[in-house]
Amino acid sequence: MASWNARSPSIVEYFEGEDFYRCGYCKNESGSRSHGMWAHSMTVRDYQDLIDRGWRRSGKYVYKPVMNQTCCPQYTIRCHPLEFQPSKSHKKVLKKMLKFLVKGEVSKGNCEDDPMDSAMEDAVAGDFALINKLDIKCDLKTLSDDLKESLESEEKKKEKSSKKEDSKESINSQAIEEKLGSGEPSHSIKVHTVPKPGKGADLSKPPCRKAKEIRKERKRLKLRQQNPDGAFKSFQAQSQTPSLFPSKTKSNQPKSLEGLIFESLPEDASHKLEVRVVRSSPPSPQFKATFQESYQVYKRYQMVIHKDPPDKPTVSQFTRFLCSSPLEAENPPNGPECGYGSFHQQYWLDGKIIAVGVIDILPHCVSSVYLYYDPDYSFLSLGVYSALREIAFARQLHDQASQLCYYYMGFYIHSCAKMKYKGQYRPSDLLCPETYVWVPIEQCLSSLENSKYCRFNQDPEAVDEGRSKEPDRLQVFYKKAIMPYGVYKKQQKDPSEDATVQQYASLVGQACSERMLLFRN
């Protein structure tokens, strides 16, 4: 596990966007388009910055929709856990779980409150084809040795030089060797990932809430407009010590999210639910011990919910899709106790796994990747329930690391009914696809009703502040050496090379282009 002071760099291979692909939302055969790159490794800081520019990972593949060209624009959405109040429908799901645990009661019929079968279904139908395409071996041991040699050479140059250049964090060459020894491909391919379609809540109508709650939300929105950084000290103070058992003298106050989730059960309760967070990459002993059981839940979920044939959800596919991650495990002194990186949040009912939420814990957020569950427990609305548990988890982590104060729900697709449900976890923001600033979702919905693609930032003069301004400072790893792009391009004769690198720089932004190593062969 990398220490905070000796992190190895992110290493990526950029795949130039080449073609249109079949859309899993609207079924358009050639309507979807995205940019993508393969991440051999990635620091949590770099990935946090990338998702704040509209990127998203699926396994080790990191992709960004071409928003003004794709048929179903996908806007990054984040929720504010510290200010979140469960809606009436959310409370019904939590109470349904409580009744099941206490009395074993099973709800009959379809649950109208669960807008989709999987809360964070951003990983795609096309993912499986993608994983097969990327399942190509290359000599990454050589790449590892080359990088190690390059880093050692750089260190010697620094020692000889009397001038002090801008200091960079030391690099753990052993960690680099491990991450590059994963046997993943290093060549250009055409890939795109898209979720499956479905039905969902109509966000043109407000969530079902009491008038009092609506008035509170209006007040919160007003405060957020006055304080765009979202520093609601009163809400943070309330979240520091959540009351799991509210005082009876305050019976007129609604229960907190924690109060609804962690309500005490009688000794003779019918069932016992336990949630465990285990690190998936690198795999912890707990993750390894439960791997087969977790995989069986995933396999059954894919076969029953997504109608996959038995031979499709293989162990290899499961591993590459939901277990492999480019994120480096990091444990900084000011971070959460569990550290940063990729995890599986396992839901254990009476000693067996019934659901698993795949999540990333990053410097500023809990980012939800995917959810799969045992179809026999669909009646518990596990998609909604797991999302509420992840929001509560983000609040818990905020108590340990104050800068971690958001819950990222993946992509919001207004044109797809199945994905609109995410807008019901409020307060929440959408990411402007042009200036990469966050805008309250309430201010975006009217624009999205008129056009699929929207620039949410209303300031016509505003620009992308993190854009690539000095592409020559971009870091390239080429022929056993790390060099600025300004040096690298002098060795190249292919004019298309410059266009590709410039495109990469514009998409990842200046900061990431200077920290991450762009691998070129």
Side-chain angles (χ1 to χ4, degrees):
M1 183 178 296
S3 70
W4 192 248
N5 294 321
R7 297 190 304 271
S8 50
S10 301
I11 303 178
V12 300
E13 291 182 62
Y14 177 65
F15 304 136
E16 183 181 5
E18 299 175 352
D19 206 351
F20 288 87
Y21 306 90
R22 183 177 186 274
C23 178
Y25 297 109
C26 67
K27 300 299 183 182
N28 186 320
E29 290 297 329
S30 60
S32 185
R33 188 178 186 185
S34 74
H35 300 288
M37 57 187 176
W38 185 264
H40 291 283
S41 73
M42 186 166 287
T43 66
V44 292
R45 179 187 179 188
D46 287 340
Y47 186 56
Q48 177 72 67
D49 285 356
L50 286 175
I51 62 175
D52 284 336
R53 293 183 64 83
W55 291 83
R56 195 79 182 157
R57 83 171 182 89
S58 180
K60 290 189 174 184
Y61 181 68
V62 187
Y63 63 102
K64 174 178 167 57
V66 183
M67 297 291 282
N68 59 352
Q69 297 182 35
T70 192
C71 55
C72 296
Q74 302 158 54
Y75 300 93
T76 302
I77 182 171
R78 72 178 185 185
C79 172
H80 295 249
L82 306 185
E83 305 134 47
F84 173 79
Q85 293 293 331
S87 67
K88 183 178 179 180
S89 62
H90 294 151
K91 291 177 181 178
K92 286 176 67 176
V93 170
L94 295 175
K95 290 176 180 178
K96 178 169 58 177
M97 175 64 80
L98 182 62
K99 288 181 180 179
F100 173 71
L101 296 177
V102 174
K103 300 179 181 179
E105 291 184 8
V106 177
S107 300
K108 296 181 180 180
N110 295 327
C111 177
E112 297 179 357
D113 299 320
D114 193 354
M116 63 184 297
D117 54 46
S118 178
M120 298 301 137
E121 192 104 354
D122 290 343
V124 275
D127 241 346
F128 307 124
L130 162 70
I131 290 167
N132 291 334
K133 287 181 180 180
L134 293 179
D135 190 13
I136 303 170
K137 305 297 180 182
C138 71
D139 189 6
L140 287 182
K141 181 64 172 63
T142 301
L143 176 60
S144 173
D145 292 340
D146 291 349
L147 180 58
K148 183 176 180 181
E149 181 180 332
S150 173
L151 294 171
E152 291 173 350
S153 176
E154 289 293 321
E155 289 300 319
K156 290 179 180 178
K157 288 180 182 179
K158 288 181 181 179
E159 290 175 3
K160 293 180 180 179
S161 176
S162 59
K163 297 180 180 179
K164 292 186 177 180
E165 299 179 359
D166 294 335
S167 61
K168 293 186 178 181
E169 295 164 330
S170 61
I171 299 175
N172 187 325
S173 60
Q174 184 177 358
I176 294 172
E177 187 169 342
E178 291 175 354
K179 72 191 175 186
L180 289 177
S182 58
E184 302 298 352
S186 59
H187 69 128
S188 181
I189 55 172
K190 295 182 180 182
V191 289
H192 181 58
T193 60
V194 287
K196 294 182 179 180
K199 297 181 179 180
D202 183 4
L203 278 188
S204 62
K205 299 179 180 179
C208 181
R209 291 185 176 183
K210 295 179 181 179
K212 184 178 180 181
E213 293 178 344
I214 294 175
R215 288 195 298 272
K216 287 183 179 180
E217 182 171 326
R218 287 174 181 165
K219 185 177 180 181
R220 286 195 297 268
L221 178 58
K222 185 177 180 181
L223 287 171
R224 289 175 63 200
Q225 291 172 336
Q226 295 173 351
N227 184 3
D229 292 333
F232 296 92
K233 294 183 179 179
S234 60
F235 287 109
Q236 291 182 11
Q238 292 173 16
S239 70
Q240 294 299 318
T241 54
S243 173
L244 303 187
F245 310 101
S247 171
K248 294 181 180 179
T249 60
K250 299 181 180 180
S251 58
N252 61 326
Q253 284 190 342
K255 284 186 177 180
S256 66
L257 176 63
E258 289 79 5
L260 291 165
I261 291 176
F262 302 113
E263 188 162 339
S264 60
L265 303 179
E267 294 183 0
D268 61 346
S270 299
H271 301 285
K272 178 184 177 182
L273 179 67
E274 180 184 2
V275 178
R276 304 176 189 173
V277 179
V278 298
R279 185 178 287 279
S280 56
S281 180
S284 65
Q286 297 87 348
F287 178 82
K288 292 178 180 179
T290 58
F291 178 87
Q292 279 299 327
E293 183 175 356
S294 182
Y295 162 66
Q296 291 300 326
V297 173
Y298 166 77
K299 182 176 181 178
R300 192 153 185 269
Y301 170 80
Q302 292 297 139
M303 292 171 58
V304 176
I305 302 298
H306 295 297
K307 313 302 180 186
D308 283 356
D311 61 340
K312 190 174 183 181
T314 63
V315 171
S316 175
Q317 179 208 70
F318 170 67
T319 301
R320 292 177 180 274
F321 180 31
L322 296 175
C323 303
S324 295
S325 169
L327 300 186
E328 296 285 331
E330 299 177 15
N331 273 323
N334 62 339
E337 294 177 6
C338 60
Y340 297 121
S342 298
F343 299 81
H344 280 198
Q345 196 165 35
Q346 301 174 336
Y347 294 79
W348 290 76
L349 181 69
D350 301 332
K352 71 173 185 177
I353 299 175
I354 65 165
V356 176
V358 182
I359 60 174
D360 293 329
I361 300 178
L362 305 175
H364 297 148
C365 71
V366 170
S367 176
S368 189
V369 178
Y370 199 72
L371 172 81
Y372 55 95
Y373 56 82
D374 187 334
D376 288 346
Y377 296 91
S378 296
F379 64 89
L380 289 174
S381 302
L382 292 171
V384 173
Y385 182 77
S386 66
L388 295 173
R389 289 294 299 240
E390 288 172 5
I391 289 174
F393 185 48
R395 287 156 69 141
Q396 176 188 341
L397 294 180
H398 170 76
D399 292 343
Q400 303 169 16
S402 60
Q403 73 278 11
L404 199 162
C405 52
Y406 297 108
Y407 174 56
Y408 283 48
M409 296 178 282
F411 288 135
Y412 172 82
I413 301 95
H414 192 75
S415 57
C416 176
K418 185 178 182 180
M419 305 303 286
K420 290 170 68 175
Y421 80 97
K422 296 182 181 184
Q424 293 187 328
Y425 294 85
R426 298 188 184 181
S428 58
D429 308 315
L430 296 183
L431 186 67
C432 176
E434 295 182 10
T435 62
Y436 303 113
V437 297
W438 295 97
V439 181
I441 192 172
E442 296 88 349
Q443 299 178 20
C444 306
L445 295 179
S446 59
S447 299
L448 289 171
E449 286 295 324
N450 298 322
S451 174
K452 287 184 178 181
Y453 174 74
C454 297
R455 171 191 166 107
F456 299 135
N457 192 330
Q458 297 301 308
D459 180 1
E461 302 298 323
V463 296
D464 170 19
E465 295 296 338
R467 66 190 182 280
S468 175
K469 301 174 184 177
E470 299 179 82
D472 282 358
R473 292 174 61 89
L474 178 151
Q475 294 297 298
V476 175
F477 181 61
Y478 175 67
K479 288 189 175 180
K480 300 185 180 182
I482 299 172
M483 64 188 75
Y485 178 61
V487 175
Y488 169 79
K489 69 180 181 181
K490 294 177 181 178
Q491 306 176 25
Q492 303 305 306
K493 297 180 181 180
D494 184 358
S496 65
E497 177 85 356
D498 185 65
T500 299
V501 176
Q502 293 278 358
Q503 183 183 65
Y504 160 81
S506 69
L507 294 170
V508 303
Q510 185 69 36
C512 280
S513 72
E514 290 189 41
R515 291 197 304 262
M516 302 193 303
L517 301 183
L518 176 63
F519 175 72
R520 307 302 291 173
N521 58 12

